[in-house]
Amino acid sequence: MLEVFIQQTQAMRRHVEMLDALFKSATEGIIVVDSWGIIQLANPKAQELFRYEDGELVGKKIELLIPQRYAHKHVDHRMNYAQHPKARSMGGNLDLYAKRKDNTEFPVEISLSPCSTSDGDYVVSFIIDISPRKKQAEALLEAHRQIQLLNTDLEERVQLRTRELAQALEEIEQSKQEVMRALEKERQLNDMKTKFVTIASHEFRTPLATILSSASLIGRYINADEDEKRQKHVQRIKSTVNNLTEILNDFLSLGKLEEGQIRNVPVVFNLSEFCQELVEEMRSVCKENQQIQYIHEGNVDVCIDRHLLKNVLINLLSNATKYSEAGKNIFLRTYKKENSIEFEVQDQGIGIPEQDQSYVFDRFFRAHNSGTIQGTGLGLNIVMKYIQLMQGEIRLESQLNRGTTVYVEIPNC
Ligand code: ADP
């Protein structure tokens, strides 16, 4: 009997010693509180965590280890737990903090276990300081944040570079197109020069020969009664020189137009007087018994570019005389309307074949019936460009062998 008792006592002592060793060497803080929340036991790790001396915690309220702001709620939580004691972790998903002796705080993870003894009910808390884990998590979070910042920065830089690249590409494309346009213009100019050389060599030869023959004939008419013949040749030389001047003027105008040198500069002037002077100037170009009859309707003050208008009318009136026979009159009519001025140049000449009418404003185009009549096919092209500069419009009506009427409308600025 005694032997059994001794054996039981030894077994119990061993048990207590093992529990004590477990309690003392545990790497988690262990605190045992009674039903009133009074600390009954605190292992060395718990004392170390909360920085208390050995045995200092025993007899103190557990709320001593809880930050002030949570302490009063903790009393309620403790009461609730006493009603439904079961092993569980404390605080649910909340971040828990514990308070050291020096009032500093540290994050903790706590699990609770109820424990009933013959002496009464107790709650055992296992406490882990999770500062290192939190620091690690925060460091990870910070690293993640930095990476995200870097990523955002990188994305922004990539977007910026992409935009810059797109812009650079667009600029390259634009300069490419500009170069292409310049090349195309250059090519057109070269074409024009080539055509000019061809036309000039062809168109200049006949008039120069005419001038030469008329000049040598004049030299031969030495008698006083041959004055009529002399005048006829002087007249021929004058008209041929006019033709040559016209060709040269056309080329000069075209060159200036191509280079964008010509601008629309409207001024106020008396249109009726202007046209009468022009008709007077054109008299030398007219054929025998050919007259330009001018009429104007409406107010005489207009606001147009004089220089451009003069060129347009000279071109249209020269065509009218050139493409009609001697004796056939030419009509110039001008109308001042509310916001524009209308011009009509009418002749009774050879007319333009219907199939050619839509091409007469093209550069170098000459109608099929132009035959030996001198010309370069540039005049109407230049006229159209001048009218476009003045924001006006031009059209013509023509009947073969009956005549042509050109209609021009220019806004009055
Ligand atoms: P050109 O120097 O040949 O006269 P234009 O550009 O002035 O050049 O005219 C183009 C062509 O339109 C002329 O070659 C001619 O065939 C025709 N044309 C222009 N005006 C008249 C007109 N009043 N009557 C008949 N044909 C005309």
Side-chain angles (χ1 to χ4, degrees):
M1 183 73 170
L2 185 66
E3 212 170 293
V4 173
F5 176 72
I6 290 167
Q7 272 176 3
Q8 277 181 345
T9 313
Q10 277 174 343
M12 201 130 69
R13 189 187 299 147
R14 238 190 351 263
H15 191 67
V16 169
E17 277 170 2
M18 277 167 73
L19 272 177
D20 191 50
L22 206 69
F23 183 69
K24 283 183 176 147
S25 59
T27 52
E28 293 182 12
I30 303 172
I31 292 178
V32 180
V33 294
D34 63 14
S35 336
W36 292 276
I38 307 291
I39 299 171
Q40 297 299 322
L41 280 172
N43 75 342
K45 184 65 187 181
Q47 289 169 166
E48 182 198 319
L49 286 177
F50 290 93
R51 299 193 184 152
Y52 282 89
E53 299 299 324
D54 192 18
E56 204 181 346
L57 279 170
V58 176
K60 302 273 170 24
K61 277 266 196 185
I62 187 68
E63 277 76 26
L64 177 71
L65 305 178
I66 293 169
Q68 201 65 48
R69 57 188 186 283
Y70 306 124
H72 69 281
K73 270 195 181 165
H74 186 263
V75 178
D76 296 340
H77 291 319
R78 186 157 52 73
M79 302 290 198
N80 277 342
Y81 187 80
Q83 306 272 309
H84 315 282
K86 65 171 178 166
R88 64 167 171 82
S89 61
M90 190 176 151
N93 290 330
L94 295 175
D95 283 345
L96 296 181
Y97 286 89
K99 189 177 80 177
R100 297 191 189 97
K101 190 178 175 181
D102 60 6
N103 281 333
T104 56
E105 294 180 13
F106 62 104
V108 285
E109 203 173 81
I110 300 173
S111 50
L112 305 170
S113 292
C115 149
S116 291
T117 66
S118 53
D119 200 13
D121 293 334
Y122 296 91
V123 178
V124 185
S125 341
F126 297 91
I127 303 145
I128 306 170
D129 178 358
I130 58 167
S131 314
R133 203 202 295 170
K134 272 229 153 183
K135 265 190 200 136
Q136 233 173 20
E138 269 163 22
L140 258 169
L141 214 71
E142 179 59 20
H144 186 69
R145 213 171 58 82
Q146 291 294 341
I147 289 173
Q148 267 188 336
L149 276 176
L150 274 174
N151 269 347
T152 322
D153 184 49
L154 213 68
E155 271 171 28
E156 273 170 15
R157 273 205 251 171
V158 168
Q159 275 177 6
L160 188 78
R161 289 279 177 280
T162 315
R163 274 202 298 273
E164 281 174 358
L165 208 70
Q167 200 179 336
L169 278 174
E170 205 176 300
E171 276 166 19
I172 290 173
E173 185 58 32
Q174 265 176 12
S175 9
K176 195 176 121 191
Q177 278 174 8
E178 269 165 32
V179 170
M180 299 279 275
R181 270 199 294 274
L183 275 174
E184 177 59 18
K185 213 163 185 186
E186 185 77 19
R187 199 183 59 74
Q188 282 178 0
L189 269 172
N190 272 339
D191 272 8
M192 211 174 78
K193 281 180 195 156
T194 318
K195 273 201 170 137
F196 173 68
V197 174
T198 319
I199 289 173
S201 53
H202 182 256
E203 294 296 316
F204 277 47
R205 194 175 291 148
T206 325
L208 288 175
T210 312
I211 293 168
L212 195 67
S213 83
S214 291
S216 57
L217 282 172
I218 289 171
R220 280 192 219 158
Y221 299 136
I222 45 172
N223 298 329
D225 59 345
E226 287 173 324
D227 188 49
E228 201 182 317
K229 288 178 183 166
R230 272 199 297 275
Q231 284 312 317
K232 192 179 138 203
H233 285 287
V234 167
Q235 197 53 43
R236 191 183 283 172
I237 290 174
K238 274 188 189 169
S239 114
T240 318
V241 168
N242 272 336
N243 273 341
L244 288 175
T245 316
E246 203 185 302
I247 295 174
L248 283 175
N249 279 342
D250 281 357
F251 275 101
L252 282 176
S253 307
L254 204 64
K256 281 188 188 162
L257 271 167
E258 288 294 326
E259 284 160 23
Q261 278 185 22
I262 298 178
R263 303 237 180 286
N264 177 27
V265 187
V267 287
V268 177
F269 63 94
N270 182 320
L271 180 67
S272 175
E273 278 176 19
F274 171 87
C275 287
Q276 273 159 22
E277 278 167 29
L278 194 73
V279 167
E280 204 55 44
E281 266 179 52
M282 292 298 293
R283 193 168 283 191
S284 64
V285 181
C286 284
K287 291 177 181 157
E288 219 176 317
N289 293 328
Q290 200 176 47
Q291 274 184 7
I292 302 174
Q293 295 183 356
Y294 172 58
I295 52 162
H296 175 82
E297 268 181 33
N299 191 325
V300 289
D301 292 325
V302 296
C303 179
I304 309 183
D305 185 310
R306 270 174 80 101
H307 173 72
L308 294 182
L309 180 67
K310 189 170 179 179
N311 275 309
V312 166
L313 292 179
I314 287 180
N315 244 303
L316 297 178
L317 290 169
S318 323
N319 276 354
T321 64
K322 203 161 71 168
Y323 296 105
S324 47
E325 288 162 27
K328 299 271 175 137
N329 281 345
I330 290 152
F331 303 92
L332 169 65
R333 302 184 194 98
T334 54
Y335 308 97
K336 167 99 187 271
K337 291 171 58 176
E338 206 180 319
N339 300 312
S340 64
I341 301 106
E342 262 186 21
F343 301 83
E344 271 179 36
V345 179
Q346 187 183 13
D347 65 52
Q348 306 167 75
I350 62 169
I352 305 167
E354 212 181 317
Q355 72 271 23
D356 289 347
Q357 286 178 14
S358 48
Y359 301 106
V360 289
F361 296 103
D362 291 355
R363 198 182 283 175
F364 297 114
F365 182 85
R366 304 206 69 209
H368 287 90
N369 62 339
S370 58
T372 56
I373 303 170
Q374 286 229 312
T376 57
L378 284 176
L380 285 183
N381 183 262
I382 293 166
V383 163
M384 190 186 67
K385 287 193 173 150
Y386 281 169
I387 289 171
Q388 279 170 353
L389 274 177
M390 293 187 279
Q391 264 124 41
E393 276 168 21
I394 183 167
R395 68 184 175 85
L396 57 78
E397 280 171 11
S398 185
Q399 267 189 310
L400 210 55
N401 301 320
R402 301 283 289 273
T404 303
T405 309
V406 183
Y407 301 91
V408 172
E409 184 166 3
I410 299 171
N412 189 38
C413 63

